[in-house]
Every structure is written in structure tokens, then in C-alpha cells.
Amino acid sequence: MEYRQVLSSTPENDQARQRLADIYTLRGSFNQALEQYRELIKRNPADPVLQLKLARAYVNTKELDSAAEAYQATIKLDKESLEAHREFANLQRKRNLPEEAAVEYQEVLRLKKDDQEARTALTAIYVKNKNYDALAALLKEGVELAPKDANAHYKLGLVYEFKKQYPEATAEYKEAVALKADHAKALNAMGRVQMKDGRIAEAKESLEAARKADPELEEAAVLLSNIKDEFTPEPRSFRGKHKSSKNSKALKKSKKGKKGKKEKGEGSSKKSSKKKKGAKKKKSAE
């Protein structure tokens, strides 16, 4: 390779060395690329681009601790490097350091508020860590950035509902439905909150709309069933029938009792008659 020949005679030729390192990277020869980047950084320690390339090479060789150090060096040299913050955040998640990753994703959003990748990753971290206050603030900011996004309102509503801020949750669900009339999940969630507030008629209407928008939505069907079981009055005909049946049983029992007494009485009468006849025969014999 020409660049290697150049470096063999003039090892201080950084331009040739950098091109050689980039070629190794493109070819996937990351160990060889690392060797060249480290040599370059010895003479150019304040170059954030070289530090970033070194970090990426370490990631590809799975030397994650060394990669983290190179990303930190990059950010120290260039705090506004969007790529460095994003890649370092992803690396920290891979290293199972969610709080450190969250710091870097926050920096990404500082530099680019509408970065959906960072916003989604940060949302997942807050949910996993149960940091609901930070999650609410993040989703509220998302709604402000995209006020016409029905899903953004729905997600914010879920957090408010979890925090038992039912009026705020209902307002967000209603906004989601206003933006997308057939938003089944928002309709279902609104019905769920209305049930918690004791507004059963409204809940039934919302849940029926959710079922219409998505017949496969299982929770809506379950909640509607609960409303039917718990809040629908028992039919009068059923109660009357039950009462009649009960009275009928009592009547039968009463008749049975009387019949038993009658039979008992008849039995006693027969015994008495037999005794009298026996007495008459005895007297006649005398």
C-alpha cells in the first residue's frame, strides 16, 4: 500500500497516516486502525476528530472502557459534539450505566431538541428507573415541540394517570382524541380514568368508542364487562321469580308438614279403634 510506503520513509507524515487509518476502518481492520489513530494522537492530542475516531475503533474491538475514555476526551475538547454525546450515551447504555447514559442523552437534546432517538432512549431509561417526575417533564416538552402529535399527548396522559393526576390525564387523552378521533388507546385510557372518577356513563361511552375504533382492544372489552356486571341493575322479573320460587318451596314444605300430621292423626285413631274392639270382645267373653 502506497501510504505504508510513505510512512516507512516519513513516519511524521500525519496526512498519510490518517488516510491509512481511515482505510483500515473502512475495511473493518479496526486493530490496525487503532494503531494508526493512537500514533496520530500522540502528536495531535487536542484534535477531537481523532479522539472520536479512536473511540469508534475501540467500540468495534469491544474495548468499551477504552472507548469511554476516548469519548470523554472528545467531549472535553468539544462540548458541542452532537455525535460524541449520542455515541457515548449509547455506549453507556451498553455498559449498563443508565444514569450516565441519561446525562449524555440530555446533552443531545440540549444540542438538538427534536432528536427523537435521544428522546425515545431517555424515555425508556426514566421508565425503567421509575423516575416519573423527569419522565413527565420530558414528555411535556415533547408535547410542546409537537402539539399536533396525538401519541405525544397520549403518552403524557399515561404518566399523569400513573401519578393519579386524573384531571391532567383526562385533558391529555381528550387532546389526543381531538387530534385523532379513532385513537383507540386514548379512548380506552380516558374511559379507564372516568371509571376511577366514578363517571360511569361517560366511561361507557368512551370504552364503546374505543371498541369501535379497535375491536381487538381487550382492555376496553374487559372494562365494559365490569361496568355491566357492577353497575347494571338486576332485572325485576328475575327477582320476582326468585321470590315466587322461594314462597312455593315454603308452601310445599307447609303442606308436607300438614300431611304428615294428618297421617299421624289417622294412625292414632286406628290404634284407638283397635283397642276399643279388643275391650268389647273381652267383656263379651266374661
Side-chain angles (χ1 to χ4, degrees):
M1 190 183 290
E2 292 182 7
Y3 293 119
R4 280 186 295 198
Q5 291 176 353
V6 170
L7 290 173
S8 63
S9 57
T10 54
E12 69 282 357
N13 189 328
D14 290 342
Q15 187 177 6
R17 191 176 295 280
Q18 185 163 339
R19 288 187 179 178
L20 180 60
D22 292 343
I23 288 170
Y24 282 140
T25 299
L26 290 171
R27 289 181 175 180
S29 303
F30 298 111
N31 284 313
Q32 291 172 297
L34 277 172
E35 184 182 345
Q36 301 305 321
Y37 287 133
R38 282 194 291 255
E39 190 64 33
L40 282 165
I41 287 170
K42 285 180 184 178
R43 288 190 294 277
N44 304 277
D47 189 332
V49 174
L50 290 176
Q51 291 286 0
L52 182 58
K53 289 182 176 182
L54 178 67
R56 288 170 176 168
Y58 277 130
V59 169
N60 281 290
T61 58
K62 303 191 185 312
E63 298 175 66
L64 303 187
D65 291 342
S66 296
E69 291 176 8
Y71 278 122
Q72 287 172 329
T74 305
I75 291 167
K76 188 175 181 181
L77 293 168
D78 183 6
K79 292 180 181 179
E80 307 303 302
S81 175
L82 180 64
E83 290 180 324
H85 284 296
R86 182 186 287 112
E87 291 173 24
F88 190 28
N90 292 338
L91 175 65
Q92 296 293 59
R93 285 190 79 185
K94 189 179 288 186
R95 297 172 76 206
N96 198 28
L97 298 170
E99 291 181 7
E100 289 80 353
V103 171
E104 297 306 320
Y105 284 126
Q106 287 165 357
E107 285 298 299
V108 172
L109 293 176
R110 177 182 68 81
L111 296 166
K112 188 182 178 185
K113 285 186 177 181
D114 62 346
D115 191 300
Q116 287 305 311
E117 180 187 338
R119 194 167 292 280
T120 300
L122 196 53
T123 297
I125 290 171
Y126 287 154
V127 169
K128 186 175 181 179
N129 290 351
K130 298 182 180 179
N131 190 348
Y132 298 112
D133 289 334
L135 179 60
L138 179 68
L139 294 176
K140 189 175 180 181
E141 184 182 66
V143 165
E144 290 169 358
L145 289 169
K148 301 297 181 183
D149 185 346
N151 282 326
H153 287 282
Y154 166 66
K155 289 176 183 177
L156 180 56
L158 287 175
V159 177
Y160 282 140
E161 182 183 351
F162 184 83
K163 294 176 72 178
K164 297 184 179 179
Q165 295 176 237
Y166 298 139
E168 291 86 349
T170 300
E172 293 303 325
Y173 293 144
K174 283 183 176 179
E175 190 62 34
V177 173
L179 291 166
K180 191 174 184 295
D182 63 344
H183 197 303
K185 289 183 178 180
L187 286 163
N188 177 70
M190 188 158 60
R192 186 173 61 230
V193 172
Q194 288 164 339
M195 283 183 71
K196 291 175 182 177
D197 277 347
R199 293 177 288 157
I200 305 306
E202 294 175 63
K204 187 171 181 290
E205 186 179 343
S206 298
L207 292 168
E208 285 174 345
R211 284 279 287 167
K212 185 177 178 181
D214 182 4
E216 302 299 319
L217 194 58
E218 188 175 343
E219 187 183 9
V222 171
L223 292 176
L224 281 169
S225 178
N226 289 344
I227 289 175
K228 185 178 178 181
D229 292 343
E230 293 181 29
F231 301 101
T232 301
E234 188 179 329
R236 288 190 179 184
S237 59
F238 178 79
R239 289 202 300 271
K241 185 178 179 182
H242 183 71
K243 188 175 181 182
S244 175
S245 177
K246 196 172 183 180
N247 289 339
S248 177
K249 285 181 180 179
L251 186 60
K252 284 179 181 178
K253 189 174 181 182
S254 175
K255 285 181 178 178
K256 187 176 180 182
K258 286 179 180 179
K259 186 178 179 182
K261 285 180 181 179
K262 187 177 179 182
E263 288 174 352
K264 187 177 180 181
E266 288 174 354
S268 297
S269 179
K270 286 178 181 178
K271 284 180 182 178
S272 177
S273 178
K274 284 180 180 179
K275 282 181 181 179
K276 284 180 181 179
K277 285 180 180 179
K280 283 181 180 181
K281 285 181 179 180
K282 187 175 181 182
K283 192 173 181 181
S284 175
E286 289 173 352

